[in-house]
Amino acid sequence: MLTGAVAGIGAIGLGSTITAALAEAAQPDPVRSVTAAYTGSGRREALDAVAARRLPAQSRVMPDLSDPGPARRQREFLDSCESWLGTLPAHRRDLAVSALLDLWVLSDELPAPVAGWADAWRYVWPRDTAFSAVALARVGLSELSWSHLRCLQSVQAVDGSFAARVDPESGLPPDDRESQFDSLGLVLWAISEVHSVSTAAAAQFDLGEFDDLLRRTTRRLFDLTAHGRSLPPVGPDYWEVGESQVTLGLAGPTLVGMNSLTALTKADGDLWRRLGEDAAAVLLAADDFRATFTRTFGANGMQRYPTSGGSDSAIAYLPAAGLVPERPEGIYALEPELLAGVWDHLEQPAGGIKPGHGWIIDRSSWTPSTSLMGLGFARLGLTDRAESILDWLAEHRTSAGSLPEKISGDGDPVSVAPLSWTAANVIITLDELYGRRGGASS
């Protein structure tokens, strides 16, 4: 999804050299879409600003659509979220509905959400789906969350790997880009989180339905980290570029996944017997990876690479997934001051952040990184900073009300909108601030 890191191998495949990436960075980034909606053609389409003028407020369905199905499904979706929306203060409901509709239009009648509706984004990324599943569970749609996770189980390879992205209809990857190791840890986190939320809401789901996914994922995680004694293999992360060193964007989600294995062990005492693993060995591997992470990334300022590379917004994966000091049962806790320092290093002219110190020389703020940091701040208890980020995201939506992928240095939405990962981050952040911390206020 992220287009234009220094190695030049963005998610839409533009270029493969630093020269090409810098040339791209020097060009204005057009607004490819301001939202996605069902149109009079009967299809879901990415809309430009002109076409979106006819779209009713807080809707992703054009008024002249002859098929009543999309409008009915949109209404039913929002109705099912009404109880959760009631926990929010009045000044946050507009943003919340925008994020919910963005997530709805990118997932309606699909096996899992796509990243966006413009052509190059119209694929299912396991990373995005993990966050979307958690967001849907948080608003009370656990069954829909589980269905999206079932999709990931169905497209997982026998060796436990996930393709970087897959076509939502065929379940097949559209190209031969390398598998991304961060998917393993983030999918484990999503299963653990959705199970926890579902159980708290008395919506019981049998973890046994995901035994195949859990078995394959855990074995690959252990095989490629020597049961937690080494860092994951070198490969691309959310920057979608080639790398010569393992990144925080892979090591952080791996730590998150190991922590989730400990949570799943407590949630299902019969889990590891069913999967042919020993519970004590699983917990030991999680502890060993914590030690591995601590003596590498943790000992060197949590930079993009184990000992260098500068700040990286991937640090926010840890608190976003609950690895915070107030939860001592976790295998690692990130201190609030460290996250705040990374934000300050990465802040851009328009007010959001770029993905990392080594990102291309442009002035854009990237909403996936910005919103992930907002979620991290919320879970760390830095509510003022989280609220400020929500304000910024709300103010920089497109003319149609959708959350875009990027904001230019001049403060204008650019690239594509909506983006499912950003929408999911906003929903989870709102739930952290209000749904889980005392309900609505005026």
Side-chain angles (χ1 to χ4, degrees):
M1 250 178 330
L2 301 178
T3 57
V6 290
I9 313 174
I12 59 174
L14 296 178
S16 59
T17 67
I18 293 176
T19 300
L22 292 177
E24 179 190 349
Q27 299 299 317
D29 192 0
V31 177
R32 297 172 177 86
S33 60
V34 299
T35 195
Y38 286 95
T39 70
S41 69
R43 301 190 305 271
R44 190 168 11 194
E45 298 180 11
L47 303 183
D48 61 21
V50 174
R53 289 174 185 167
R54 297 180 50 252
L55 190 66
Q58 297 291 30
S59 176
R60 302 293 182 264
V61 181
M62 282 291 192
D64 59 349
L65 186 61
S66 58
D67 178 6
R72 173 183 52 79
R73 293 195 302 273
Q74 177 179 249
R75 183 175 61 254
E76 290 173 348
F77 178 83
L78 287 179
D79 287 347
S80 67
C81 300
E82 188 56 42
S83 177
W84 178 78
L85 286 167
T87 68
L88 307 181
H91 75 284
R92 287 298 182 213
R93 289 173 191 164
D94 184 70
L95 174 63
V97 172
S98 291
L100 287 168
L101 286 175
D102 283 350
L103 201 52
W104 173 78
V105 78
L106 295 176
S107 61
D108 181 49
E109 296 203 310
L110 296 175
V114 293
W117 203 252
D119 287 345
W121 285 258
R122 203 178 303 169
Y123 299 103
V124 173
W125 268 264
R127 179 190 311 115
D128 301 46
T129 299
F131 280 89
S132 296
V134 172
L136 291 168
R138 291 291 192 97
V139 303
L141 300 177
S142 293
E143 186 172 352
L144 185 56
S145 298
W146 287 119
S147 72
H148 293 165
L149 293 172
R150 290 186 195 106
C151 170
L152 295 184
Q153 179 168 244
S154 71
V155 300
Q156 187 180 30
V158 174
D159 67 0
S161 63
F162 289 99
R165 57 182 186 164
V166 298
D167 181 273
E169 295 183 0
S170 69
L172 299 175
D175 50 35
D176 59 356
R177 67 181 57 193
E178 190 176 350
S179 173
Q180 295 172 3
F181 196 82
D182 59 344
S183 297
L184 303 181
L186 294 175
V187 169
L188 288 174
W189 165 67
I191 290 175
S192 176
E193 183 91 357
V194 173
H195 181 265
S196 175
V197 172
S198 300
T199 301
Q204 297 290 336
F205 285 86
D206 182 9
L207 271 180
E209 184 179 355
F210 291 89
D211 279 357
D212 286 344
L213 184 151
L214 291 169
R215 181 184 299 106
R216 293 188 298 245
T217 303
T218 301
R219 288 180 178 175
R220 184 170 182 83
L221 200 68
F222 287 176
D223 287 348
L224 296 182
T225 63
H227 280 254
R229 295 186 296 275
S230 68
L231 291 171
V234 174
D237 63 7
Y238 76 113
W239 284 28
E240 305 275 0
V241 304
E243 294 288 354
S244 59
Q245 300 182 65
V246 64
T247 66
L248 183 60
L250 296 185
T254 300
L255 183 69
V256 166
M258 292 289 191
N259 194 61
S260 298
L261 290 177
T262 66
L264 289 167
T265 301
K266 297 174 184 177
D268 185 348
D270 195 44
L271 176 63
W272 301 114
R273 183 195 62 77
R274 294 199 313 270
L275 300 187
E277 297 280 354
D278 177 70
V282 171
L283 296 177
L284 178 60
D287 284 340
D288 283 347
F289 191 77
R290 173 194 54 77
T292 299
F293 187 89
T294 300
R295 70 171 180 266
T296 53
F297 288 93
N300 293 286
M302 296 283 284
Q303 301 183 72
R304 177 159 177 79
Y305 306 113
T307 61
S308 65
S311 298
D312 191 323
S313 65
I315 191 175
Y317 280 127
L318 275 60
L323 277 69
V324 298
E326 68 182 37
R327 296 180 64 178
E329 72 274 15
I331 64 172
Y332 191 94
L334 186 77
E335 295 299 327
E337 297 78 9
L338 190 54
L339 192 68
V342 170
W343 175 278
D344 293 342
H345 281 118
L346 299 181
E347 190 167 7
Q348 293 289 83
I353 63 169
K354 60 183 178 179
H357 173 75
W359 195 251
I360 59 170
I361 306 171
D362 72 357
R363 302 165 65 243
S364 299
S365 300
W366 294 76
T367 66
S369 293
T370 301
S371 58
L372 186 66
M373 291 285 280
L375 174 54
F377 285 132
R379 297 202 76 164
L380 283 165
L382 299 177
T383 56
D384 288 347
R385 297 200 73 146
E387 293 279 14
S388 177
I389 291 171
L390 289 178
D391 287 341
W392 183 85
L393 289 165
E395 292 165 2
H396 289 85
R397 285 174 288 175
T398 68
S399 59
S402 282
L403 292 154
E405 182 181 43
K406 294 170 61 177
I407 303 297
S408 74
D410 296 325
D412 299 320
V414 291
S415 192
V416 299
L419 204 71
S420 60
W421 190 7
T422 299
N425 288 341
V426 167
I427 293 166
I428 304 169
T429 302
L430 287 166
D431 190 60
E432 281 294 318
L433 292 174
Y434 303 108
R436 290 196 164 196
R437 296 182 185 267
S441 58
S442 59

